[in-house]
């Protein structure tokens, strides 16, 4: 999808492969969650796009900045060869200079290593390469101003080693950098978010109870209205889906894309009820699915206080929610008849905002484009709201080409602006 600050997590270079999404069901048995199937791509995007925010860019391929046939770098930038090992970390940097430049990092040790270029006084990171294998080289492109810098080498199963401090003289403004976050930094916002989710699960339980009552009383018109209200509550809790575990499949699973899959007993939850409500099924046919949905939500509610969310995943989830909205909602892959994918996409934006609220105090000093991110969220949500007409939403397939292009562009922009958030909140070794 969308050099490269976290160059080591890119899918192609140095044989590093991202985790693969689970395979699609081969038959009509379904009951699986559609969430986080694009998570590996989110990591790669975060790696690539953060370059525009934190550093000028670092190459993720051995071809980046490679010598031309004449034996000189073909990128037009000055190159410096740097050794990476516990005994010689940072050796080779003897002529410091400001500006955009490339450090060709060569791991001479016997184990893989992470390498940071940071300010040894403040700990701010200007560039990073992950997973540098023994005997291999990789370029790190940075934009340096006047100040103090040092390479830090973090070999597997060994303490971090900081190389010699190098001073870039003059009065040149420093390039982009970010202070690393640790697990302890992320625990308070994660706990606050988990408490917020617990409150929303209470709202969800009230919504599914109302939906069940509508269907029990045969009022399908009310059920269609209350279905959307309850479903949007669930869709705003995006960062918690992984913690929900199997409950996510029971509550919001989708059917396999095969003939007859919507009739399989394993297809449950909101989308099963959506299919029935908008395909002429009777209240009698929907009572059991509505009761099962309500029971699954109440089981989730009862066990939520015992769950523990992963603090290290919070920044990545902010990006993944929007990525999933683009993949599933803007393509109408999850439309089972209601035509409300744009409402869901708007709720997903609410979900990303809920995470950013908790992370904001850590994000603002590390990400200079927070205001632009806020404006992009507002713009995307406003363009979605323009497709809300009274109680109805424009189905995705009824958008004009111009409307579709505008909304797709909004979400593409959001993905780029949220990718650095995922990278900023990746917990890094410091010792």
């Amino acid at each position: 999808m969308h050099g490269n600050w976290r160059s080591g997590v890119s899918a192609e270079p140095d044989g590093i492969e991202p985790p693969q999404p689970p395979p699609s069901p081969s038959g009509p048995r379904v009951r699986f969650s559609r969430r986080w199937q694009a998570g590996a791509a989110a990591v790669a995007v975060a790696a690539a796009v953060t370059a525009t925010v934190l550093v000028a860019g670092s190459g993720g391929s051995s071809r980046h900045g490679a010598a031309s046939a004449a034996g000189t770098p073909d990128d037009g930038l000055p190159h410096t060869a740097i050794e990476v090992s516990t005994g010689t970390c940072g050796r080779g940097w003897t002529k410091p200079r400001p500006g955009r430049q490339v450090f060709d990092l060569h791991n001479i040790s016997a184990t893989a290593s992470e390498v940071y270029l940071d300010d040894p006084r403040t700990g701010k990171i200007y560039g990073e390469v992950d997973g540098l294998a023994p005997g291999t080289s990789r370029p790190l492109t940075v934009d340096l101003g006047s100040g103090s810098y040092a390479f830090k080498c973090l070999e597997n199963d060994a303490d971090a080693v900081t190389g010699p401090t190098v001073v870039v003289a003059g009065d040149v403004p420093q390039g982009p950098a970010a202070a690393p976050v640790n697990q302890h930094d992320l625990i308070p916002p994660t706990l606050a978010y988990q408490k917020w989710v617990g409150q929303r699960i209470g709202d969800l339980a009230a919504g599914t109870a109302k939906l069940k009552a509508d269907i029990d009383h045969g009022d399908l018109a009310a059920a269609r209205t209350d279905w959307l209200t309850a479903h949007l509550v669930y869709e705003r809790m995006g960062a918690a889906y992984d913690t929900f575990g199997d409950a996510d499949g029971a509550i919001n699973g989708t059917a396999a894309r095969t003939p007859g899959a919507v009739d399989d007993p394993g297809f449950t939850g909101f989308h099963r009820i959506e299919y029935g409500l908008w395909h002429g099924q009777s209240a009698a046919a929907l009572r059991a699915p509505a009761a099962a949905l309500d029971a699954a939500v109440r089981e989730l509610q009862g066990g939520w206080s015992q769950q523990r969310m992963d603090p290290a995943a919070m920044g990545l989830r902010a990006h993944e929610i929007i990525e999933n909205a683009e993949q599933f909602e803007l393509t109408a892959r999850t439309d089972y008849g209601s035509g409300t994918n744009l409402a869901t996409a708007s709720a997903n934006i609410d979900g990303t905002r809920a995470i950013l609220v908790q992370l904001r105090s850590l994000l603002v000093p590390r990400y200079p484009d927070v205001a632009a991110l806020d404006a992009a969220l507002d713009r995307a949500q406003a363009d979605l709201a323009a497709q809300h007409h009274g109680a109805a939403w424009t189905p995705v397939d009824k958008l004009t080409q111009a409307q579709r292009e505008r909304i797709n562009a909004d979400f593409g922009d959001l993905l780029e602006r949220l990718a650095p958030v995922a990278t900023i909140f990746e917990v890094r070794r410091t010792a």
Side-chain angles (χ1 to χ4, degrees):
M1 290 163 62
H2 295 298
N4 206 355
W5 196 60
R6 288 287 298 178
S7 59
V9 294
S10 181
E12 294 86 0
D14 300 323
I16 298 174
E17 296 292 339
Q20 297 301 307
S24 298
S26 57
R29 294 294 299 177
V30 285
R31 194 170 181 176
F32 66 94
S33 169
R34 63 185 171 87
R35 300 295 171 179
W36 314 140
Q37 295 182 29
V43 178
V45 173
V49 182
T50 304
T52 64
V53 179
L54 300 178
V55 296
S58 65
S61 168
S62 59
R63 293 175 56 85
H64 179 83
S68 67
T72 58
D74 61 9
D75 56 15
L77 299 175
H79 282 240
T80 303
I82 299 294
E83 291 184 7
V84 174
S85 75
T86 55
T88 63
C89 183
R91 179 183 292 176
W93 195 5
T94 58
K95 297 179 179 179
R97 73 189 90 192
R100 186 173 172 84
Q101 56 196 286
V102 180
F103 293 104
D104 295 307
L105 307 177
H106 181 62
N107 187 354
I108 65 172
S109 71
T111 61
S113 181
E114 296 180 33
V115 186
Y116 302 158
L117 177 62
D118 65 15
D119 182 331
R121 296 172 302 176
T122 66
K124 288 186 177 181
I125 299 174
Y126 291 84
E128 176 181 14
V129 164
D130 191 14
L132 184 60
T136 65
S137 297
R138 194 182 302 160
L140 172 67
T141 306
V142 293
D143 189 3
L144 301 182
S146 305
S148 299
Y149 304 91
F151 281 99
K152 181 178 289 185
C153 302
L154 303 96
E155 292 187 8
N156 293 346
D157 303 318
D159 292 338
V161 174
T162 300
T165 297
V166 174
V167 177
V168 176
D171 191 23
V172 180
Q174 289 190 321
V181 297
N182 58 44
Q183 192 89 354
H184 294 292
D185 294 329
L186 292 171
I187 288 174
T190 303
L191 291 175
Y193 179 80
Q194 189 164 337
K195 181 179 180 180
W196 178 87
V197 169
Q199 295 168 342
R200 301 291 79 73
I201 293 175
D203 297 338
L204 177 65
T208 57
K210 190 173 184 181
L211 174 61
K212 178 179 178 297
D214 292 338
I215 292 173
D216 285 344
H217 291 98
D219 190 347
L220 297 188
R224 292 184 189 98
T225 298
D226 293 333
W227 175 90
L228 180 59
T229 300
H231 187 233
L232 296 184
V233 172
Y234 189 80
E235 290 285 349
R236 293 186 180 101
M237 297 186 285
Y241 293 151
D242 194 49
T243 310
F244 289 167
D246 291 342
D248 183 42
I251 293 170
N252 207 41
T254 57
R257 298 169 68 84
T258 55
V262 292
D263 299 319
D264 189 273
F267 179 33
T268 63
F270 276 113
H271 292 302
R272 166 64 184 91
I273 297 169
E274 176 189 9
Y275 180 82
L277 286 173
W278 276 272
H279 284 84
Q281 291 187 351
S282 67
L286 291 174
R287 283 181 186 131
L293 171 62
D294 189 52
V297 168
R298 293 189 182 282
E299 183 177 357
L300 176 65
Q301 182 181 32
W304 181 246
S305 64
Q306 305 303 314
Q307 299 300 316
R308 295 294 179 266
M309 295 184 63
D310 180 7
M314 289 289 282
L316 181 59
R317 294 294 183 248
H319 183 281
E320 284 179 322
I321 291 170
I322 300 301
E323 187 177 19
N324 274 270
E326 181 187 56
Q327 182 178 1
F328 294 102
E329 308 308 333
L330 301 190
T331 61
R333 284 177 60 184
T334 52
D335 183 6
Y336 289 86
S338 68
T340 58
N341 289 101
L342 298 184
T344 301
S346 184
N348 293 157
I349 293 177
D350 289 337
T352 285
R353 289 184 190 271
I355 303 171
L356 295 177
V357 165
Q358 304 302 337
L359 295 177
R360 199 168 189 87
S361 64
L362 295 171
L363 182 62
V364 168
R366 292 172 169 85
Y367 187 17
D369 289 339
V370 170
L373 171 58
D374 290 339
L377 290 164
D378 291 341
R379 183 168 54 251
Q381 211 150 28
D383 287 337
L384 292 171
Q387 304 306 319
H388 187 196
H389 311 289
W393 287 79
T394 304
V396 170
D397 63 358
K398 300 300 183 184
L399 292 171
T400 66
Q401 181 174 343
Q403 290 168 341
R404 183 188 294 271
E405 289 175 351
R406 183 177 180 88
I407 291 171
N408 286 345
D410 288 340
F411 275 73
D413 183 42
L414 279 179
L415 286 174
E416 290 196 8
R417 295 185 185 280
L418 285 164
V421 176
T423 303
I424 287 168
F425 289 105
E426 181 178 349
V427 176
R428 290 170 172 79
R429 283 181 58 192
T430 57

